[in-house]
């Protein structure tokens, strides 16, 4: 990836859409600082993980979500346990 290229993330796209369409709470969880900064600029609340691929239960804000989007290449069982999807 070139240094001036924008970080690619389907999660950023989902967070931006959620904010734009009026979601009351948008939490964005990632390990890359540049994506966390973009999420904050989009209006989401950024939450940093400990490291890439090591998502822990404590990395995810403790709240019930109406909708949750998991946008990584590897699915984490922690994510499923942390969210109630209606």
């Amino acid at each position: 990836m070139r240094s001036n290229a924008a970080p690619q993330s389907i999660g950023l796209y989902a967070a931006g859409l959620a904010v734009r369409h009026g979601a009351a709470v948008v939490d964005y969880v990632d390990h890359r600082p540049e994506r966390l900064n973009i999420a904050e600029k989009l209006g989401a609340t950024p939450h940093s993980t400990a490291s890439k691929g090591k998502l822990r239960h404590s990395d995810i804000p403790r709240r019930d979500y109406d909708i949750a989007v998991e946008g990584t290449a590897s699915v984490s069982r922690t994510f499923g346990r942390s969210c109630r999807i209606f």
Side-chain angles (χ1 to χ4, degrees):
M1 186 163 115
R2 297 184 324 246
S3 61
N4 61 351
Q8 298 175 358
S9 169
I10 193 70
L12 282 173
Y13 180 69
L17 283 174
V19 169
R20 180 76 172 134
H21 288 280
V25 175
V26 178
D27 290 313
Y28 181 83
V29 180
D30 204 315
H31 70 280
R32 292 182 57 185
E34 63 271 19
R35 290 199 295 229
L36 292 166
N37 289 333
I38 293 169
E40 187 170 32
K41 289 177 184 175
L42 291 172
T45 303
H47 302 276
S48 182
T49 61
S51 63
K52 180 180 179 179
K54 304 286 184 189
L55 187 65
R56 298 175 306 195
H57 187 71
S58 61
D59 291 330
I60 301 170
R62 297 184 59 84
R63 67 175 100 240
D64 291 332
Y65 294 94
D66 292 331
I67 298 172
V69 175
E70 201 284 327
T72 65
S74 61
V75 178
S76 169
R77 285 186 281 156
T78 303
F79 181 81
R81 291 183 193 141
S82 300
C83 301
R84 255 187 1 190
I85 301 174
F86 300 94

